[in-house]
Amino acid sequence: MKYIGSFLLFFTFSIAGFSQGALPESFFNGKSVVVVSTDPGSRPVLSWKELADSVHVHLVEAGGDPIAYFELEQVVLSEARQADYARAFQQRQVKNVILVTRQKQKLSIHIGPFSGDGKIIPTTALYGVSGKDWNEAGNQLAEVAKGTNSKNYLVLDVAEFPQISTQETAQSVQRFLPRNPLNLEVFKLGIPLEGSSAETGLMSYFRYDLLGKSQDAILTEQAAQKNQIQSIFENLYPNQIEWLTEAKTNQELIRDRVQFLLVRVEGRQADLMESMGLEPFGGEEGAKTVVKYYIKFLVRDELYIGPEWDADPDWKVALTQFLRNLQKPA
């Protein structure tokens, strides 16, 4: 299985504001889950659940069977959390994934098959429509679906928001270890770059702040990011590293003596802490959007978050603090 990263990624192409690809046949004959990302700066102000309620009627009118709604930022909190959602979707026999992205100037709906694994979707090249709001985008979808007989008969009248159970998430929480890994001086630490094919966090492409990034913007950010990371590592990490710019299997990485991977996650601080088995901060501290780094040990699939909580809204500060904590005894 290819490494499924948790960086919030940029990709090397953009999706235009009109329909593309083909609407999957399974949309008309199978369960769908809907994953929503909404810009808090959009007007009128709607929570992601309110947006889900508004979109639901259009998805049903188009012939879909949306059985559950989730917030994208929650689903992609970490590789382990995303894998939990994927397992839950498998158990519920989901066939399709619908991604709803609300940005300040438009709303987009993308539909693709459930991949059946931790990636959740097989590609970012999904069928999509977009409009100025949910009504315009929803009407476009309904128009495209005209003439296709749906076999989804017993559909929900209103949007539902189920929780992934504690049992489903317990296994992934146990994989997060609040200490440093051993043998960092023996094996290489792989560093995937945002925007490279070494990262396969496809779901993150549909976040409201990432969807539609131009290739020029991606390449510029990627070059700046590498320079900044390299500068921090030169001062704080004495061991070998390897930049990962193309997809490799775990076996290929291990063969190249890369047994550790640096993983970056971003989300609300309280959500990240809870997902890693820690007591979350409350109030304003818990509500902050922060970046957290951890190291994945490929051989045992263990996730090392370090001995101290070191997340920060600024990724450079978060990385610096994480590397300093790595110097503490394991």
mmCIF file with all atom_site columns, all heavy atoms in Angstrom, residues 24 26 31 33 82 85-91 93-98 112-122:
data_model
loop_
_atom_site.group_PDB
_atom_site.id
_atom_site.type_symbol
_atom_site.label_atom_id
_atom_site.label_alt_id
_atom_site.label_comp_id
_atom_site.label_asym_id
_atom_site.label_entity_id
_atom_site.label_seq_id
_atom_site.pdbx_PDB_ins_code
_atom_site.Cartn_x
_atom_site.Cartn_y
_atom_site.Cartn_z
_atom_site.occupancy
_atom_site.B_iso_or_equiv
_atom_site.pdbx_formal_charge
_atom_site.auth_seq_id
_atom_site.auth_comp_id
_atom_site.auth_asym_id
_atom_site.auth_atom_id
_atom_site.pdbx_PDB_model_num
ATOM 1   N N   . PRO A 1 24  ? -20.625 9.132  -11.914 1.00 0.00 ? 24  PRO A N   1
ATOM 2   C CA  . PRO A 1 24  ? -20.566 7.676  -11.761 1.00 0.00 ? 24  PRO A CA  1
ATOM 3   C C   . PRO A 1 24  ? -21.955 7.040  -11.773 1.00 0.00 ? 24  PRO A C   1
ATOM 4   O O   . PRO A 1 24  ? -22.887 7.564  -11.162 1.00 0.00 ? 24  PRO A O   1
ATOM 5   C CB  . PRO A 1 24  ? -19.898 7.495  -10.389 1.00 0.00 ? 24  PRO A CB  1
ATOM 6   C CG  . PRO A 1 24  ? -19.205 8.781  -10.116 1.00 0.00 ? 24  PRO A CG  1
ATOM 7   C CD  . PRO A 1 24  ? -20.014 9.841  -10.785 1.00 0.00 ? 24  PRO A CD  1
ATOM 8   N N   . SER A 1 26  ? -22.800 4.496  -10.231 1.00 0.00 ? 26  SER A N   1
ATOM 9   C CA  . SER A 1 26  ? -23.114 4.058  -8.872  1.00 0.00 ? 26  SER A CA  1
ATOM 10  C C   . SER A 1 26  ? -23.808 5.141  -8.046  1.00 0.00 ? 26  SER A C   1
ATOM 11  O O   . SER A 1 26  ? -24.424 4.844  -7.022  1.00 0.00 ? 26  SER A O   1
ATOM 12  C CB  . SER A 1 26  ? -21.840 3.608  -8.155  1.00 0.00 ? 26  SER A CB  1
ATOM 13  O OG  . SER A 1 26  ? -20.874 4.649  -8.154  1.00 0.00 ? 26  SER A OG  1
ATOM 14  N N   . LYS A 1 31  ? -25.234 3.775  -1.928  1.00 0.00 ? 31  LYS A N   1
ATOM 15  C CA  . LYS A 1 31  ? -25.127 4.750  -0.844  1.00 0.00 ? 31  LYS A CA  1
ATOM 16  C C   . LYS A 1 31  ? -23.966 5.718  -1.080  1.00 0.00 ? 31  LYS A C   1
ATOM 17  O O   . LYS A 1 31  ? -22.920 5.327  -1.588  1.00 0.00 ? 31  LYS A O   1
ATOM 18  C CB  . LYS A 1 31  ? -24.913 4.030  0.491   1.00 0.00 ? 31  LYS A CB  1
ATOM 19  C CG  . LYS A 1 31  ? -26.035 3.086  0.896   1.00 0.00 ? 31  LYS A CG  1
ATOM 20  C CD  . LYS A 1 31  ? -25.667 2.345  2.167   1.00 0.00 ? 31  LYS A CD  1
ATOM 21  C CE  . LYS A 1 31  ? -26.744 1.349  2.553   1.00 0.00 ? 31  LYS A CE  1
ATOM 22  N NZ  . LYS A 1 31  ? -26.344 0.559  3.751   1.00 0.00 ? 31  LYS A NZ  1
ATOM 23  N N   . VAL A 1 33  ? -21.670 8.944  0.886   1.00 0.00 ? 33  VAL A N   1
ATOM 24  C CA  . VAL A 1 33  ? -21.369 9.808  2.030   1.00 0.00 ? 33  VAL A CA  1
ATOM 25  C C   . VAL A 1 33  ? -20.977 11.167 1.479   1.00 0.00 ? 33  VAL A C   1
ATOM 26  O O   . VAL A 1 33  ? -20.408 11.280 0.391   1.00 0.00 ? 33  VAL A O   1
ATOM 27  C CB  . VAL A 1 33  ? -20.250 9.238  2.917   1.00 0.00 ? 33  VAL A CB  1
ATOM 28  C CG1 . VAL A 1 33  ? -20.714 7.978  3.623   1.00 0.00 ? 33  VAL A CG1 1
ATOM 29  C CG2 . VAL A 1 33  ? -18.979 8.976  2.124   1.00 0.00 ? 33  VAL A CG2 1
ATOM 30  N N   . GLN A 1 82  ? -8.414  9.298  9.089   1.00 0.00 ? 82  GLN A N   1
ATOM 31  C CA  . GLN A 1 82  ? -9.000  9.082  7.773   1.00 0.00 ? 82  GLN A CA  1
ATOM 32  C C   . GLN A 1 82  ? -9.222  7.597  7.519   1.00 0.00 ? 82  GLN A C   1
ATOM 33  O O   . GLN A 1 82  ? -10.244 7.204  6.938   1.00 0.00 ? 82  GLN A O   1
ATOM 34  C CB  . GLN A 1 82  ? -8.096  9.689  6.696   1.00 0.00 ? 82  GLN A CB  1
ATOM 35  C CG  . GLN A 1 82  ? -8.700  9.638  5.298   1.00 0.00 ? 82  GLN A CG  1
ATOM 36  C CD  . GLN A 1 82  ? -7.954  10.518 4.320   1.00 0.00 ? 82  GLN A CD  1
ATOM 37  O OE1 . GLN A 1 82  ? -7.647  11.667 4.618   1.00 0.00 ? 82  GLN A OE1 1
ATOM 38  N NE2 . GLN A 1 82  ? -7.662  9.997  3.144   1.00 0.00 ? 82  GLN A NE2 1
ATOM 39  N N   . TYR A 1 85  ? -12.425 6.478  9.199   1.00 0.00 ? 85  TYR A N   1
ATOM 40  C CA  . TYR A 1 85  ? -13.610 6.811  8.411   1.00 0.00 ? 85  TYR A CA  1
ATOM 41  C C   . TYR A 1 85  ? -13.770 5.837  7.246   1.00 0.00 ? 85  TYR A C   1
ATOM 42  O O   . TYR A 1 85  ? -14.880 5.390  6.946   1.00 0.00 ? 85  TYR A O   1
ATOM 43  C CB  . TYR A 1 85  ? -13.522 8.248  7.895   1.00 0.00 ? 85  TYR A CB  1
ATOM 44  C CG  . TYR A 1 85  ? -13.955 9.281  8.894   1.00 0.00 ? 85  TYR A CG  1
ATOM 45  C CD1 . TYR A 1 85  ? -13.030 9.888  9.742   1.00 0.00 ? 85  TYR A CD1 1
ATOM 46  C CD2 . TYR A 1 85  ? -15.283 9.661  9.012   1.00 0.00 ? 85  TYR A CD2 1
ATOM 47  C CE1 . TYR A 1 85  ? -13.432 10.843 10.670  1.00 0.00 ? 85  TYR A CE1 1
ATOM 48  C CE2 . TYR A 1 85  ? -15.684 10.621 9.931   1.00 0.00 ? 85  TYR A CE2 1
ATOM 49  C CZ  . TYR A 1 85  ? -14.753 11.207 10.764  1.00 0.00 ? 85  TYR A CZ  1
ATOM 50  O OH  . TYR A 1 85  ? -15.150 12.142 11.683  1.00 0.00 ? 85  TYR A OH  1
ATOM 51  N N   . ALA A 1 86  ? -12.662 5.512  6.594   1.00 0.00 ? 86  ALA A N   1
ATOM 52  C CA  . ALA A 1 86  ? -12.723 4.587  5.462   1.00 0.00 ? 86  ALA A CA  1
ATOM 53  C C   . ALA A 1 86  ? -13.269 3.229  5.892   1.00 0.00 ? 86  ALA A C   1
ATOM 54  O O   . ALA A 1 86  ? -14.092 2.626  5.195   1.00 0.00 ? 86  ALA A O   1
ATOM 55  C CB  . ALA A 1 86  ? -11.341 4.433  4.832   1.00 0.00 ? 86  ALA A CB  1
ATOM 56  N N   . ARG A 1 87  ? -12.817 2.736  7.047   1.00 0.00 ? 87  ARG A N   1
ATOM 57  C CA  . ARG A 1 87  ? -13.325 1.452  7.543   1.00 0.00 ? 87  ARG A CA  1
ATOM 58  C C   . ARG A 1 87  ? -14.817 1.535  7.842   1.00 0.00 ? 87  ARG A C   1
ATOM 59  O O   . ARG A 1 87  ? -15.580 0.602  7.550   1.00 0.00 ? 87  ARG A O   1
ATOM 60  C CB  . ARG A 1 87  ? -12.550 1.029  8.791   1.00 0.00 ? 87  ARG A CB  1
ATOM 61  C CG  . ARG A 1 87  ? -11.184 0.424  8.493   1.00 0.00 ? 87  ARG A CG  1
ATOM 62  C CD  . ARG A 1 87  ? -10.570 -0.205 9.727   1.00 0.00 ? 87  ARG A CD  1
ATOM 63  N NE  . ARG A 1 87  ? -10.163 0.816  10.692  1.00 0.00 ? 87  ARG A NE  1
ATOM 64  C CZ  . ARG A 1 87  ? -8.969  1.381  10.704  1.00 0.00 ? 87  ARG A CZ  1
ATOM 65  N NH1 . ARG A 1 87  ? -8.062  1.037  9.795   1.00 0.00 ? 87  ARG A NH1 1
ATOM 66  N NH2 . ARG A 1 87  ? -8.662  2.291  11.614  1.00 0.00 ? 87  ARG A NH2 1
ATOM 67  N N   . ALA A 1 88  ? -15.236 2.655  8.415   1.00 0.00 ? 88  ALA A N   1
ATOM 68  C CA  . ALA A 1 88  ? -16.665 2.834  8.692   1.00 0.00 ? 88  ALA A CA  1
ATOM 69  C C   . ALA A 1 88  ? -17.474 2.857  7.404   1.00 0.00 ? 88  ALA A C   1
ATOM 70  O O   . ALA A 1 88  ? -18.573 2.286  7.329   1.00 0.00 ? 88  ALA A O   1
ATOM 71  C CB  . ALA A 1 88  ? -16.880 4.126  9.483   1.00 0.00 ? 88  ALA A CB  1
ATOM 72  N N   . PHE A 1 89  ? -16.953 3.495  6.369   1.00 0.00 ? 89  PHE A N   1
ATOM 73  C CA  . PHE A 1 89  ? -17.654 3.537  5.079   1.00 0.00 ? 89  PHE A CA  1
ATOM 74  C C   . PHE A 1 89  ? -17.768 2.128  4.471   1.00 0.00 ? 89  PHE A C   1
ATOM 75  O O   . PHE A 1 89  ? -18.792 1.768  3.892   1.00 0.00 ? 89  PHE A O   1
ATOM 76  C CB  . PHE A 1 89  ? -16.930 4.456  4.102   1.00 0.00 ? 89  PHE A CB  1
ATOM 77  C CG  . PHE A 1 89  ? -16.861 5.902  4.541   1.00 0.00 ? 89  PHE A CG  1
ATOM 78  C CD1 . PHE A 1 89  ? -15.979 6.791  3.931   1.00 0.00 ? 89  PHE A CD1 1
ATOM 79  C CD2 . PHE A 1 89  ? -17.672 6.379  5.561   1.00 0.00 ? 89  PHE A CD2 1
ATOM 80  C CE1 . PHE A 1 89  ? -15.918 8.115  4.328   1.00 0.00 ? 89  PHE A CE1 1
ATOM 81  C CE2 . PHE A 1 89  ? -17.618 7.717  5.970   1.00 0.00 ? 89  PHE A CE2 1
ATOM 82  C CZ  . PHE A 1 89  ? -16.728 8.578  5.351   1.00 0.00 ? 89  PHE A CZ  1
ATOM 83  N N   . GLN A 1 90  ? -16.697 1.353  4.619   1.00 0.00 ? 90  GLN A N   1
ATOM 84  C CA  . GLN A 1 90  ? -16.739 -0.026 4.119   1.00 0.00 ? 90  GLN A CA  1
ATOM 85  C C   . GLN A 1 90  ? -17.821 -0.829 4.822   1.00 0.00 ? 90  GLN A C   1
ATOM 86  O O   . GLN A 1 90  ? -18.580 -1.565 4.188   1.00 0.00 ? 90  GLN A O   1
ATOM 87  C CB  . GLN A 1 90  ? -15.385 -0.701 4.325   1.00 0.00 ? 90  GLN A CB  1
ATOM 88  C CG  . GLN A 1 90  ? -14.305 -0.269 3.339   1.00 0.00 ? 90  GLN A CG  1
ATOM 89  C CD  . GLN A 1 90  ? -12.986 -0.973 3.604   1.00 0.00 ? 90  GLN A CD  1
ATOM 90  O OE1 . GLN A 1 90  ? -12.541 -1.068 4.743   1.00 0.00 ? 90  GLN A OE1 1
ATOM 91  N NE2 . GLN A 1 90  ? -12.354 -1.461 2.561   1.00 0.00 ? 90  GLN A NE2 1
ATOM 92  N N   . GLN A 1 91  ? -17.886 -0.681 6.140   1.00 0.00 ? 91  GLN A N   1
ATOM 93  C CA  . GLN A 1 91  ? -18.883 -1.422 6.912   1.00 0.00 ? 91  GLN A CA  1
ATOM 94  C C   . GLN A 1 91  ? -20.308 -1.036 6.524   1.00 0.00 ? 91  GLN A C   1
ATOM 95  O O   . GLN A 1 91  ? -21.226 -1.865 6.577   1.00 0.00 ? 91  GLN A O   1
ATOM 96  C CB  . GLN A 1 91  ? -18.662 -1.180 8.405   1.00 0.00 ? 91  GLN A CB  1
ATOM 97  C CG  . GLN A 1 91  ? -17.374 -1.794 8.942   1.00 0.00 ? 91  GLN A CG  1
ATOM 98  C CD  . GLN A 1 91  ? -17.051 -1.321 10.336  1.00 0.00 ? 91  GLN A CD  1
ATOM 99  O OE1 . GLN A 1 91  ? -17.806 -0.562 10.956  1.00 0.00 ? 91  GLN A OE1 1
ATOM 100 N NE2 . GLN A 1 91  ? -15.906 -1.756 10.859  1.00 0.00 ? 91  GLN A NE2 1
ATOM 101 N N   . GLN A 1 93  ? -21.171 -0.186 3.533   1.00 0.00 ? 93  GLN A N   1
ATOM 102 C CA  . GLN A 1 93  ? -21.318 -0.510 2.109   1.00 0.00 ? 93  GLN A CA  1
ATOM 103 C C   . GLN A 1 93  ? -21.517 0.741  1.246   1.00 0.00 ? 93  GLN A C   1
ATOM 104 O O   . GLN A 1 93  ? -22.346 0.767  0.338   1.00 0.00 ? 93  GLN A O   1
ATOM 105 C CB  . GLN A 1 93  ? -22.460 -1.500 1.903   1.00 0.00 ? 93  GLN A CB  1
ATOM 106 C CG  . GLN A 1 93  ? -22.232 -2.830 2.620   1.00 0.00 ? 93  GLN A CG  1
ATOM 107 C CD  . GLN A 1 93  ? -23.355 -3.827 2.387   1.00 0.00 ? 93  GLN A CD  1
ATOM 108 O OE1 . GLN A 1 93  ? -24.528 -3.458 2.347   1.00 0.00 ? 93  GLN A OE1 1
ATOM 109 N NE2 . GLN A 1 93  ? -22.993 -5.090 2.236   1.00 0.00 ? 93  GLN A NE2 1
ATOM 110 N N   . VAL A 1 94  ? -20.736 1.761  1.546   1.00 0.00 ? 94  VAL A N   1
ATOM 111 C CA  . VAL A 1 94  ? -20.781 3.004  0.771   1.00 0.00 ? 94  VAL A CA  1
ATOM 112 C C   . VAL A 1 94  ? -20.175 2.769  -0.604  1.00 0.00 ? 94  VAL A C   1
ATOM 113 O O   . VAL A 1 94  ? -19.150 2.098  -0.746  1.00 0.00 ? 94  VAL A O   1
ATOM 114 C CB  . VAL A 1 94  ? -20.017 4.115  1.526   1.00 0.00 ? 94  VAL A CB  1
ATOM 115 C CG1 . VAL A 1 94  ? -19.756 5.319  0.627   1.00 0.00 ? 94  VAL A CG1 1
ATOM 116 C CG2 . VAL A 1 94  ? -20.782 4.514  2.773   1.00 0.00 ? 94  VAL A CG2 1
ATOM 117 N N   . LYS A 1 95  ? -20.792 3.336  -1.626  1.00 0.00 ? 95  LYS A N   1
ATOM 118 C CA  . LYS A 1 95  ? -20.274 3.227  -2.988  1.00 0.00 ? 95  LYS A CA  1
ATOM 119 C C   . LYS A 1 95  ? -19.705 4.537  -3.530  1.00 0.00 ? 95  LYS A C   1
ATOM 120 O O   . LYS A 1 95  ? -18.871 4.520  -4.433  1.00 0.00 ? 95  LYS A O   1
ATOM 121 C CB  . LYS A 1 95  ? -21.385 2.746  -3.935  1.00 0.00 ? 95  LYS A CB  1
ATOM 122 C CG  . LYS A 1 95  ? -21.787 1.289  -3.741  1.00 0.00 ? 95  LYS A CG  1
ATOM 123 C CD  . LYS A 1 95  ? -22.755 0.860  -4.838  1.00 0.00 ? 95  LYS A CD  1
ATOM 124 C CE  . LYS A 1 95  ? -23.121 -0.613 -4.714  1.00 0.00 ? 95  LYS A CE  1
ATOM 125 N NZ  . LYS A 1 95  ? -24.057 -1.033 -5.782  1.00 0.00 ? 95  LYS A NZ  1
ATOM 126 N N   . ASN A 1 96  ? -20.171 5.661  -2.994  1.00 0.00 ? 96  ASN A N   1
ATOM 127 C CA  . ASN A 1 96  ? -19.781 6.956  -3.562  1.00 0.00 ? 96  ASN A CA  1
ATOM 128 C C   . ASN A 1 96  ? -19.379 7.943  -2.473  1.00 0.00 ? 96  ASN A C   1
ATOM 129 O O   . ASN A 1 96  ? -19.860 7.879  -1.336  1.00 0.00 ? 96  ASN A O   1
ATOM 130 C CB  . ASN A 1 96  ? -20.946 7.577  -4.349  1.00 0.00 ? 96  ASN A CB  1
ATOM 131 C CG  . ASN A 1 96  ? -21.560 6.611  -5.323  1.00 0.00 ? 96  ASN A CG  1
ATOM 132 O OD1 . ASN A 1 96  ? -20.976 6.281  -6.336  1.00 0.00 ? 96  ASN A OD1 1
ATOM 133 N ND2 . ASN A 1 96  ? -22.760 6.133  -5.011  1.00 0.00 ? 96  ASN A ND2 1
ATOM 134 N N   . VAL A 1 97  ? -18.514 8.880  -2.869  1.00 0.00 ? 97  VAL A N   1
ATOM 135 C CA  . VAL A 1 97  ? -18.124 9.983  -1.995  1.00 0.00 ? 97  VAL A CA  1
ATOM 136 C C   . VAL A 1 97  ? -18.469 11.285 -2.715  1.00 0.00 ? 97  VAL A C   1
ATOM 137 O O   . VAL A 1 97  ? -18.075 11.492 -3.866  1.00 0.00 ? 97  VAL A O   1
ATOM 138 C CB  . VAL A 1 97  ? -16.624 9.946  -1.671  1.00 0.00 ? 97  VAL A CB  1
ATOM 139 C CG1 . VAL A 1 97  ? -16.229 11.132 -0.794  1.00 0.00 ? 97  VAL A CG1 1
ATOM 140 C CG2 . VAL A 1 97  ? -16.258 8.639  -0.989  1.00 0.00 ? 97  VAL A CG2 1
ATOM 141 N N   . ILE A 1 98  ? -19.215 12.134 -2.030  1.00 0.00 ? 98  ILE A N   1
ATOM 142 C CA  . ILE A 1 98  ? -19.593 13.444 -2.570  1.00 0.00 ? 98  ILE A CA  1
ATOM 143 C C   . ILE A 1 98  ? -18.886 14.510 -1.747  1.00 0.00 ? 98  ILE A C   1
ATOM 144 O O   . ILE A 1 98  ? -18.983 14.522 -0.518  1.00 0.00 ? 98  ILE A O   1
ATOM 145 C CB  . ILE A 1 98  ? -21.115 13.658 -2.501  1.00 0.00 ? 98  ILE A CB  1
ATOM 146 C CG1 . ILE A 1 98  ? -21.847 12.557 -3.278  1.00 0.00 ? 98  ILE A CG1 1
ATOM 147 C CG2 . ILE A 1 98  ? -21.497 15.034 -3.034  1.00 0.00 ? 98  ILE A CG2 1
ATOM 148 C CD1 . ILE A 1 98  ? -23.355 12.570 -3.098  1.00 0.00 ? 98  ILE A CD1 1
ATOM 149 N N   . GLY A 1 112 ? -17.404 11.029 -6.782  1.00 0.00 ? 112 GLY A N   1
ATOM 150 C CA  . GLY A 1 112 ? -16.552 9.951  -7.276  1.00 0.00 ? 112 GLY A CA  1
ATOM 151 C C   . GLY A 1 112 ? -16.825 8.673  -6.510  1.00 0.00 ? 112 GLY A C   1
ATOM 152 O O   . GLY A 1 112 ? -17.518 8.662  -5.495  1.00 0.00 ? 112 GLY A O   1
ATOM 153 N N   . PRO A 1 113 ? -16.274 7.558  -6.982  1.00 0.00 ? 113 PRO A N   1
ATOM 154 C CA  . PRO A 1 113 ? -16.458 6.276  -6.297  1.00 0.00 ? 113 PRO A CA  1
ATOM 155 C C   . PRO A 1 113 ? -15.647 6.226  -5.012  1.00 0.00 ? 113 PRO A C   1
ATOM 156 O O   . PRO A 1 113 ? -14.566 6.821  -4.921  1.00 0.00 ? 113 PRO A O   1
ATOM 157 C CB  . PRO A 1 113 ? -15.944 5.261  -7.319  1.00 0.00 ? 113 PRO A CB  1
ATOM 158 C CG  . PRO A 1 113 ? -14.909 6.016  -8.104  1.00 0.00 ? 113 PRO A CG  1
ATOM 159 C CD  . PRO A 1 113 ? -15.430 7.426  -8.203  1.00 0.00 ? 113 PRO A CD  1
ATOM 160 N N   . PHE A 1 114 ? -16.150 5.540  -4.017  1.00 0.00 ? 114 PHE A N   1
ATOM 161 C CA  . PHE A 1 114 ? -15.380 5.252  -2.815  1.00 0.00 ? 114 PHE A CA  1
ATOM 162 C C   . PHE A 1 114 ? -14.274 4.284  -3.185  1.00 0.00 ? 114 PHE A C   1
ATOM 163 O O   . PHE A 1 114 ? -14.515 3.256  -3.808  1.00 0.00 ? 114 PHE A O   1
ATOM 164 C CB  . PHE A 1 114 ? -16.297 4.653  -1.748  1.00 0.00 ? 114 PHE A CB  1
ATOM 165 C CG  . PHE A 1 114 ? -15.579 4.142  -0.528  1.00 0.00 ? 114 PHE A CG  1
ATOM 166 C CD1 . PHE A 1 114 ? -14.608 4.906  0.107   1.00 0.00 ? 114 PHE A CD1 1
ATOM 167 C CD2 . PHE A 1 114 ? -15.880 2.891  -0.006  1.00 0.00 ? 114 PHE A CD2 1
ATOM 168 C CE1 . PHE A 1 114 ? -13.944 4.435  1.238   1.00 0.00 ? 114 PHE A CE1 1
ATOM 169 C CE2 . PHE A 1 114 ? -15.229 2.414  1.119   1.00 0.00 ? 114 PHE A CE2 1
ATOM 170 C CZ  . PHE A 1 114 ? -14.259 3.181  1.747   1.00 0.00 ? 114 PHE A CZ  1
ATOM 171 N N   . SER A 1 115 ? -13.036 4.601  -2.806  1.00 0.00 ? 115 SER A N   1
ATOM 172 C CA  . SER A 1 115 ? -11.885 3.798  -3.232  1.00 0.00 ? 115 SER A CA  1
ATOM 173 C C   . SER A 1 115 ? -11.790 2.467  -2.496  1.00 0.00 ? 115 SER A C   1
ATOM 174 O O   . SER A 1 115 ? -11.106 1.553  -2.957  1.00 0.00 ? 115 SER A O   1
ATOM 175 C CB  . SER A 1 115 ? -10.589 4.585  -3.011  1.00 0.00 ? 115 SER A CB  1
ATOM 176 O OG  . SER A 1 115 ? -10.368 4.806  -1.632  1.00 0.00 ? 115 SER A OG  1
ATOM 177 N N   . GLY A 1 116 ? -12.444 2.365  -1.342  1.00 0.00 ? 116 GLY A N   1
ATOM 178 C CA  . GLY A 1 116 ? -12.391 1.124  -0.582  1.00 0.00 ? 116 GLY A CA  1
ATOM 179 C C   . GLY A 1 116 ? -11.174 1.004  0.310   1.00 0.00 ? 116 GLY A C   1
ATOM 180 O O   . GLY A 1 116 ? -11.005 0.005  1.012   1.00 0.00 ? 116 GLY A O   1
ATOM 181 N N   . ASP A 1 117 ? -10.308 2.038  0.327   1.00 0.00 ? 117 ASP A N   1
ATOM 182 C CA  . ASP A 1 117 ? -9.142  2.017  1.196   1.00 0.00 ? 117 ASP A CA  1
ATOM 183 C C   . ASP A 1 117 ? -9.007  3.358  1.902   1.00 0.00 ? 117 ASP A C   1
ATOM 184 O O   . ASP A 1 117 ? -9.904  4.202  1.837   1.00 0.00 ? 117 ASP A O   1
ATOM 185 C CB  . ASP A 1 117 ? -7.873  1.675  0.404   1.00 0.00 ? 117 ASP A CB  1
ATOM 186 C CG  . ASP A 1 117 ? -7.611  2.664  -0.732  1.00 0.00 ? 117 ASP A CG  1
ATOM 187 O OD1 . ASP A 1 117 ? -8.133  3.797  -0.684  1.00 0.00 ? 117 ASP A OD1 1
ATOM 188 O OD2 . ASP A 1 117 ? -6.885  2.301  -1.675  1.00 0.00 ? 117 ASP A OD2 1
ATOM 189 N N   . GLY A 1 118 ? -7.882  3.557  2.570   1.00 0.00 ? 118 GLY A N   1
ATOM 190 C CA  . GLY A 1 118 ? -7.701  4.745  3.383   1.00 0.00 ? 118 GLY A CA  1
ATOM 191 C C   . GLY A 1 118 ? -7.648  6.047  2.615   1.00 0.00 ? 118 GLY A C   1
ATOM 192 O O   . GLY A 1 118 ? -7.774  7.122  3.207   1.00 0.00 ? 118 GLY A O   1
ATOM 193 N N   . LYS A 1 119 ? -7.451  5.995  1.314   1.00 0.00 ? 119 LYS A N   1
ATOM 194 C CA  . LYS A 1 119 ? -7.445  7.225  0.518   1.00 0.00 ? 119 LYS A CA  1
ATOM 195 C C   . LYS A 1 119 ? -8.848  7.801  0.364   1.00 0.00 ? 119 LYS A C   1
ATOM 196 O O   . LYS A 1 119 ? -9.014  8.980  0.095   1.00 0.00 ? 119 LYS A O   1
ATOM 197 C CB  . LYS A 1 119 ? -6.833  6.960  -0.853  1.00 0.00 ? 119 LYS A CB  1
ATOM 198 C CG  . LYS A 1 119 ? -5.334  6.716  -0.822  1.00 0.00 ? 119 LYS A CG  1
ATOM 199 C CD  . LYS A 1 119 ? -4.751  6.593  -2.220  1.00 0.00 ? 119 LYS A CD  1
ATOM 200 C CE  . LYS A 1 119 ? -5.205  5.334  -2.931  1.00 0.00 ? 119 LYS A CE  1
ATOM 201 N NZ  . LYS A 1 119 ? -4.510  5.142  -4.225  1.00 0.00 ? 119 LYS A NZ  1
ATOM 202 N N   . ILE A 1 120 ? -9.868  6.968  0.469   1.00 0.00 ? 120 ILE A N   1
ATOM 203 C CA  . ILE A 1 120 ? -11.299 7.291  0.367   1.00 0.00 ? 120 ILE A CA  1
ATOM 204 C C   . ILE A 1 120 ? -11.713 7.584  -1.074  1.00 0.00 ? 120 ILE A C   1
ATOM 205 O O   . ILE A 1 120 ? -12.739 7.094  -1.542  1.00 0.00 ? 120 ILE A O   1
ATOM 206 C CB  . ILE A 1 120 ? -11.710 8.432  1.313   1.00 0.00 ? 120 ILE A CB  1
ATOM 207 C CG1 . ILE A 1 120 ? -11.467 7.988  2.776   1.00 0.00 ? 120 ILE A CG1 1
ATOM 208 C CG2 . ILE A 1 120 ? -13.171 8.811  1.100   1.00 0.00 ? 120 ILE A CG2 1
ATOM 209 C CD1 . ILE A 1 120 ? -11.906 9.001  3.822   1.00 0.00 ? 120 ILE A CD1 1
ATOM 210 N N   . ILE A 1 121 ? -10.945 8.381  -1.794  1.00 0.00 ? 121 ILE A N   1
ATOM 211 C CA  . ILE A 1 121 ? -11.224 8.598  -3.222  1.00 0.00 ? 121 ILE A CA  1
ATOM 212 C C   . ILE A 1 121 ? -9.989  8.173  -4.020  1.00 0.00 ? 121 ILE A C   1
ATOM 213 O O   . ILE A 1 121 ? -8.860  8.305  -3.538  1.00 0.00 ? 121 ILE A O   1
ATOM 214 C CB  . ILE A 1 121 ? -11.589 10.058 -3.535  1.00 0.00 ? 121 ILE A CB  1
ATOM 215 C CG1 . ILE A 1 121 ? -10.513 11.029 -3.006  1.00 0.00 ? 121 ILE A CG1 1
ATOM 216 C CG2 . ILE A 1 121 ? -12.961 10.404 -2.972  1.00 0.00 ? 121 ILE A CG2 1
ATOM 217 C CD1 . ILE A 1 121 ? -10.753 12.478 -3.383  1.00 0.00 ? 121 ILE A CD1 1
ATOM 218 N N   . PRO A 1 122 ? -10.178 7.677  -5.253  1.00 0.00 ? 122 PRO A N   1
ATOM 219 C CA  . PRO A 1 122 ? -9.035  7.170  -6.019  1.00 0.00 ? 122 PRO A CA  1
ATOM 220 C C   . PRO A 1 122 ? -8.238  8.242  -6.736  1.00 0.00 ? 122 PRO A C   1
ATOM 221 O O   . PRO A 1 122 ? -7.110  8.008  -7.164  1.00 0.00 ? 122 PRO A O   1
ATOM 222 C CB  . PRO A 1 122 ? -9.697  6.222  -7.027  1.00 0.00 ? 122 PRO A CB  1
ATOM 223 C CG  . PRO A 1 122 ? -11.065 6.802  -7.240  1.00 0.00 ? 122 PRO A CG  1
ATOM 224 C CD  . PRO A 1 122 ? -11.467 7.394  -5.912  1.00 0.00 ? 122 PRO A CD  1
#
